[in-house]
Amino acid sequence: MIPRYTRPIMAKLWSPEERLRAWGLVEFYACEAWYKLGKVPEGDYQKIKEKLLPYLEEGGFTEANVKRVEEIEKETKHDVIAFLTHLAEIIGPSARYLHLGMTSSDMLDTAMAWLMKRAMEIILEDLTRIKEVLKARAYEFKDTLMIGRTHGIHAEPITFGLKLALWYEEMKRNEKRLKNALECISYGKISGAVGTFAHVPPEVEAYVCEKMGLKPAPVSNQIIQRDRYAEYMASLAILGTTVEKIATEIRHLQRTEVLEAEEFFSPGQKGSSAMPHKRNPILSENLCGLARLLRGYLVPALENVALWHERDISHSSAERVIVPDATTTADFMLVRLEGLLKNLMVYPENMMKNFNLLRGLTFSQQVMLALVEKGMIREEAYKIVQELAMKVWKDQNLNFKDLVFSDQRIRKFLTQEEIEHIFDVKYYLRYVDQIFERVFG
């Protein structure tokens, strides 16, 4: 991902230096496991430990190490061999005890699982903050009346807090999916070229995975199976789509004709190079665009599941791009959304103004239902109410409530007091507290 959409925490996680560190940890723990099994002599183990451990601390591998590995790879045409060759330069002859019985994917996939696990933990922390903001703002606007819209057309009353509560509940589902994906990806494998442990016993795998905070894959071939990656990427794609859903709604609410909510416009900010008056929903639009990327990353992840026999490398090139980019993008999106929601400017007065635009038409269903309850045939009630509603649509000077009061067909069934009750907005919002209890507990 380009620096514009990359936070430092993700840039560091997916840096070449951190990748070498992940590889080095797997190799060292495998060597340590062999040592505990009596396969690596004491002197060689101590030499490896002395030379390698400083590189396995955060920041241990530097740009110089990365360049050296790349230099070796130009000759070997194999990144793992280049890395092991460089470790031999650092450690000396004792490095022959690294990578014992292992295949490249033992190291690569276990290291990648460790990195993907850490990336998801960062994203889950982001999501926790998003939920906190949504909950706080939902309660802030729990009773703030606005019109609900279906098909973009005024429907019936809701509150802005209910809209925020809806987003919160969806983020709870995203959190569950992300945690499931975290569990699914947190598996390593040190089982050899085709997964049979022919040259490395399961004890080595178990030790390495425990040290890396992973679990051993119950069965593998040469690789960790890519349905795990697909689930991981799918959870991020769905998360991104939820972010897009929220951002799209904010964009609609910020439209000049609506203006019920608006992104914060900071002093000195510019909306257009041509039109000085513009205040555009650029953060929301940016999030909608990034959501498209997240969905795009899912396609190769799904296609990577089906590989030839025990493994080919058609998945490898795609994963070098999609995994770092998808996690980096998701992290950036959540942090941007957090700030957007915290600073979102809400205009209850405009919500009320827009609520009244249709001059009472939003109460049409309640009028119809009241007539039905009083004994009028539903089809007849619908016809009468729609007839009055269409008059209001056509004539800006008419008010739906006035027409209901003066219509003798309706007054045969409903008293003035009953009609007044029908047009009381509190009737529509009487379960808001109960909904909040169900969402927030």
Side-chain angles (χ1 to χ4, degrees):
M1 181 50 62
I2 63 175
R4 184 181 184 91
Y5 303 127
T6 303
R7 290 206 308 143
I9 191 171
M10 282 296 189
K12 180 180 179 182
L13 177 64
W14 293 115
S15 67
E17 293 82 4
E18 191 67 2
R19 183 181 71 249
L20 294 188
R21 177 175 171 241
W23 291 3
L25 285 168
V26 175
E27 291 293 343
F28 175 73
Y29 289 136
C31 175
E32 190 167 67
W34 277 118
Y35 164 70
K36 292 179 180 295
L37 291 172
K39 189 76 171 181
V40 178
E42 172 76 23
D44 291 295
Y45 167 70
Q46 293 300 335
K47 184 72 171 180
I48 292 169
K49 185 176 181 180
E50 174 193 350
K51 293 288 186 178
L52 191 53
L53 278 187
Y55 288 90
L56 303 184
E57 301 293 331
E58 283 195 29
F61 281 101
T62 67
E63 185 178 352
N65 298 112
V66 173
K67 287 182 176 179
R68 179 55 184 153
V69 172
E70 291 173 347
E71 184 179 276
I72 298 170
E73 188 182 353
K74 289 178 181 177
E75 178 183 347
T76 63
K77 305 297 191 293
H78 196 293
D79 55 354
V80 173
I81 293 175
F83 176 65
L84 293 171
T85 300
H86 183 47
L87 291 188
E89 293 175 339
I90 294 170
I91 296 168
S94 296
R96 67 185 182 276
Y97 289 106
L98 297 175
H99 209 66
L100 281 181
M102 293 167 57
T103 189
S104 296
S105 291
D106 287 331
M107 183 192 78
L108 293 172
D109 282 9
T110 305
M112 180 61 98
W114 185 66
L115 292 169
M116 291 173 76
K117 178 175 181 286
R118 291 167 60 200
M120 185 61 82
E121 288 168 348
I122 293 170
I123 290 168
L124 282 165
E125 290 174 2
D126 298 337
L127 187 55
T128 296
R129 295 194 304 274
I130 290 284
K131 287 171 55 191
E132 290 171 354
V133 173
L134 283 171
K135 181 177 181 179
R137 302 228 72 181
Y139 274 102
E140 181 182 355
F141 298 107
K142 179 171 70 73
D143 301 313
T144 301
L145 179 68
M146 70 182 300
I147 190 65
R149 298 173 173 91
T150 59
H151 306 273
I153 307 301
H154 285 203
E156 292 187 341
I158 62 171
T159 73
F160 189 55
L162 281 174
K163 193 182 291 286
L164 292 159
L166 185 84
W167 297 344
Y168 178 92
E169 182 68 16
E170 187 160 336
M171 283 301 184
K172 282 167 58 178
R173 295 193 294 275
N174 275 301
E175 184 177 50
K176 183 177 180 180
R177 280 187 286 265
L178 294 175
K179 287 181 177 179
N180 288 339
L182 175 62
E183 195 285 328
C184 188
I185 204 63
S186 298
Y187 285 81
K189 61 89 62 181
I190 309 288
S191 56
V194 290
T196 60
F197 297 101
H199 307 292
V200 55
E203 290 84 356
V204 172
E205 179 184 76
Y207 185 84
V208 173
C209 287
E210 181 182 2
K211 286 291 186 178
M212 302 289 288
L214 306 171
K215 290 169 280 191
V219 59
S220 61
N221 43 34
Q222 191 172 102
I223 61 169
I224 289 291
Q225 298 307 287
R226 263 37 188 187
D227 65 291
R228 295 184 183 276
Y229 284 53
E231 179 176 339
Y232 185 97
M233 299 294 285
S235 71
L236 294 178
I238 297 171
L239 171 67
T241 301
T242 296
V243 173
E244 180 184 24
K245 168 184 177 175
I246 295 171
T248 298
E249 179 65 12
I250 292 172
R251 290 169 64 190
H252 281 309
L253 295 176
Q254 187 165 335
R255 292 170 60 186
T256 305
E257 296 84 356
V258 179
L259 201 56
E260 295 178 354
E262 182 183 23
E263 291 181 7
F264 177 72
F265 197 82
S266 61
Q269 183 175 338
K270 304 295 186 291
S272 166
S273 63
M275 297 169 283
H277 72 277
K278 295 295 287 292
R279 290 159 67 109
N280 301 327
I282 57 171
L283 300 179
S284 300
E285 291 173 337
N286 170 257
L287 291 173
C288 290
L290 292 176
R292 297 168 189 171
L293 286 181
L294 278 185
R295 287 193 293 274
Y297 295 137
L298 175 58
V299 174
L302 293 169
E303 293 178 346
N304 284 346
V305 174
L307 302 176
W308 286 17
H309 302 300
E310 277 57 63
R311 184 236 181 176
D312 62 64
I313 65 164
S314 60
H315 62 92
S316 176
S317 54
E319 288 168 358
R320 291 173 190 264
V321 176
I322 65 173
V323 175
D325 276 16
T327 51
T328 298
T329 301
D331 169 64
F332 179 87
M333 290 174 70
L334 289 178
V335 173
R336 171 151 287 186
L337 179 64
E338 179 190 0
L340 193 166
L341 291 170
K342 272 184 179 179
N343 299 310
L344 187 69
M345 301 166 71
V346 181
Y347 304 122
E349 65 279 8
N350 285 349
M351 292 178 175
M352 183 58 70
K353 181 184 73 174
N354 290 335
F355 179 81
N356 292 320
L357 277 177
L358 290 187
R359 304 176 308 285
L361 286 185
T362 53
F363 297 91
S364 67
Q365 180 177 191
Q366 183 64 0
V367 175
M368 181 188 69
L369 292 176
L371 290 171
V372 172
E373 289 175 7
K374 289 287 187 173
M376 185 180 288
I377 296 174
R378 181 183 175 89
E379 289 73 14
E380 181 66 19
Y382 191 104
K383 180 181 178 180
I384 293 172
V385 173
Q386 186 183 45
E387 174 191 317
L388 300 181
M390 292 307 104
K391 289 180 180 180
V392 176
W393 272 109
K394 293 176 182 179
D395 189 339
Q396 295 290 314
N397 296 313
L398 295 179
N399 182 284
F400 183 63
K401 184 178 179 181
D402 293 339
L403 293 183
V404 170
F405 269 131
S406 61
D407 191 284
Q408 294 305 309
R409 297 169 295 179
I410 293 177
R411 294 305 301 272
K412 288 180 181 179
F413 290 85
L414 298 174
T415 67
Q416 182 173 340
E417 183 180 355
E418 288 170 332
I419 293 173
E420 288 286 358
H421 180 70
I422 287 170
F423 283 84
D424 185 353
V425 73
K426 294 178 183 178
Y427 177 85
Y428 290 84
L429 306 178
R430 64 193 187 281
Y431 293 118
V432 169
D433 287 338
Q434 186 171 326
I435 294 171
F436 266 60
E437 180 65 25
R438 287 160 61 175
V439 173
F440 300 109

